Amino acid sequence: MDIIFYHPSAEPDRWTTGLQRRLPDARIRIWTPGDNRHADYALIRQPPTEMLAGRTALKGVFSLAAGVDDILEQLRRYPAMLAPDVPLFRLEDTGMARQMQEYALYHVLGWYRRFGDYQQQKDRALWHPLPDTPREDFTVGILGAGVLGRSVADCLTAWGFPVRCWSRTPKQLPAITSFHGEAQLSEFLAGTQVLINLLPNTPQTIGIINRQMMCQLKRGAYILNIARGAHLREDDLLAAIAAGEVKAAALDVFIEEPLNANHPFWQHPAIAITPHNAAVTLPDDAMDYIANAIRLREVGEMPTGRVDLTRGY
Ligand code: NAP
Ligand code: GLV
């Protein structure tokens, strides 16, 4: 079996060695422009379209990320990039769920315990206990109830926060209040104190976190965007903070990445920033999943993680 690999920035040797150890009979090569030789599987991150185009013999293409919006955007522009019926798979969890839990828990606890306010008081040498919000009123609303959204929901529920999720289709999740579809969005937003975004970037979700959404949250809400920059209307966030609708935000993803040095978010005291690493791909976990998925494909089975190209995630 032949496997081709392309990643613009990862250490390719780590991947080829790790895959070889897991799939001893495979022939694994780093794809370079002009390589049209046979391949059964492709592992990709931001691939040039020519890597996959015309490869009708592929039994699977594996994205080395959880979100596949960049690949689907390429596909919209060059539909011939992926031959029909070639399944595209994405990383489901593979160690990202725990990282998302850490990220979300850190910020939710910090906002709940008002550590940002105490830091400001410390800067003024002010000894002054602040009133706290009862935990049962500190409701966390998660946009998305998929692999990562559910995992973050379970973690925050275990810490005793009331948690609600919003998804496209109905869900029944223990200890979590579920909402779905456009019709239940306003009900989901009303009463939400912390809004966490874990939606995929699709034509339906672009710009979804806008002023109209922000002003339906509890006044002085918090926003955590750990999905994609395209989801958030950045000017609306600045306006909502200025109007007191939103108290603070923690952002890992931005419309333009890296975030421009002149962007107002950098200097904003109410906005925390990380460089799109809320949850990174862990090579060993990802390779375990991919090697197992390839073994399943080789015996004619369909592994989990297949992307629905029409749905867009
Ligand atoms: P997933 O399992 O596919 O879950 C997506 C969830 O979003 C599902 O619950 C889905 O609803 C819901 N959804 C999709 N379209 C919707 C719509 N129009 N209205 C309402 N709900 C909608 O994805 P995941 O693995 O949890 O990952 C989520 C996203 O996190 C990825 O797409 C990626 O962009 C982002 N991510 C970011 C980082 C980072 O470091 N910042 C790392 C990894 C992933 P249904 O359940 O009804 O289908
Ligand atoms: C990272 O953003 C991913 O989608 O895996």
Side-chain angles (χ1 to χ4, degrees):
M1 154 212 332
D2 292 288
I3 300 177
I4 49 176
F5 175 91
Y6 180 88
H7 193 302
S9 55
E11 297 159 38
D13 291 350
R14 175 163 186 195
W15 286 85
T16 49
T17 312
L19 284 165
Q20 197 69 73
R21 205 171 50 245
R22 289 165 174 85
L23 299 165
D25 297 332
R27 286 176 298 274
I28 302 159
R29 65 182 194 272
I30 306 202
W31 181 87
T32 49
D35 173 355
N36 295 321
R37 285 178 290 139
H38 172 82
D40 297 286
Y41 298 98
L43 275 54
I44 55 163
R45 186 84 178 108
Q46 297 164 2
T49 46
E50 62 186 289
M51 177 182 181
L52 303 178
R55 289 192 180 274
T56 50
L58 282 173
K59 291 180 254 180
V61 172
F62 293 91
S63 157
L64 300 174
V68 284
D69 45 336
D70 50 351
I71 298 173
L72 297 187
E73 176 56 28
Q74 265 181 300
L75 255 179
R76 274 190 279 278
R77 280 185 276 129
Y78 308 104
M81 173 174 152
L82 194 65
D85 302 331
V86 172
L88 170 67
F89 300 94
R90 70 183 192 93
L91 296 181
E92 283 188 317
D93 184 355
T94 60
M96 290 191 224
R98 190 167 70 174
Q99 297 175 66
M100 288 300 192
Q101 290 186 350
E102 292 162 355
Y103 198 107
L105 183 61
Y106 172 88
H107 285 287
V108 172
L109 286 179
W111 289 326
Y112 172 61
R113 294 298 306 264
R114 306 190 62 172
F115 290 137
D117 295 329
Y118 284 115
Q119 182 61 40
Q120 282 179 12
Q121 293 194 169
K122 184 216 166 216
D123 294 344
R124 291 181 288 138
L126 188 61
W127 180 280
H128 172 59
L130 296 164
D132 41 47
T133 313
R135 190 182 295 246
E136 57 274 21
D137 293 342
F138 207 80
T139 300
V140 179
I142 305 179
L143 296 166
V147 174
L148 301 178
R150 277 202 308 271
S151 164
V152 168
D154 289 343
C155 167
L156 295 172
T157 302
W159 273 84
F161 293 102
V163 177
R164 52 179 64 179
C165 283
W166 181 71
S167 51
R168 194 178 51 85
T169 57
K171 301 274 177 286
Q172 279 196 316
L173 304 169
I176 293 160
T177 314
S178 295
F179 299 83
H180 70 278
E182 284 293 321
Q184 294 185 0
L185 183 57
S186 290
E187 200 186 339
F188 161 83
L189 295 170
T192 288
Q193 181 81 61
V194 179
L195 184 73
I196 299 181
N197 178 32
L198 275 166
L199 289 169
N201 177 19
T202 68
Q204 290 73 38
T205 63
I206 282 184
I208 190 166
I209 311 173
N210 52 30
R211 189 81 186 270
Q212 201 196 347
M213 175 175 274
M214 294 178 212
C215 66
Q216 291 181 70
L217 300 168
K218 257 191 180 169
R219 193 167 170 79
Y222 301 91
I223 292 182
L224 186 61
N225 188 14
I226 43 182
R228 284 292 182 265
H231 289 129
L232 175 71
R233 293 253 182 263
E234 294 183 344
D235 288 347
D236 285 7
L237 176 63
L238 292 170
I241 294 175
E245 291 152 13
V246 170
K247 183 168 177 198
L251 310 175
D252 180 56
V253 285
F254 304 88
I255 290 172
E256 190 191 330
E257 294 179 2
L259 188 64
N260 190 292
N262 298 322
H263 198 290
F265 284 172
W266 283 116
Q267 303 304 329
H268 202 299
I271 296 178
I273 289 176
T274 48
H276 196 149
N277 63 351
V280 298
T281 297
L282 302 176
D284 283 309
D285 297 61
M287 284 188 277
D288 284 346
Y289 157 72
I290 293 169
N292 191 45
I294 288 177
R295 280 185 218 106
L296 288 172
R297 287 300 285 146
E298 287 298 294
V299 295
E301 288 184 32
M302 190 58 78
T304 62
R306 185 172 185 179
V307 175
D308 181 333
L309 299 183
T310 4
R311 205 178 59 171
Y313 65 98

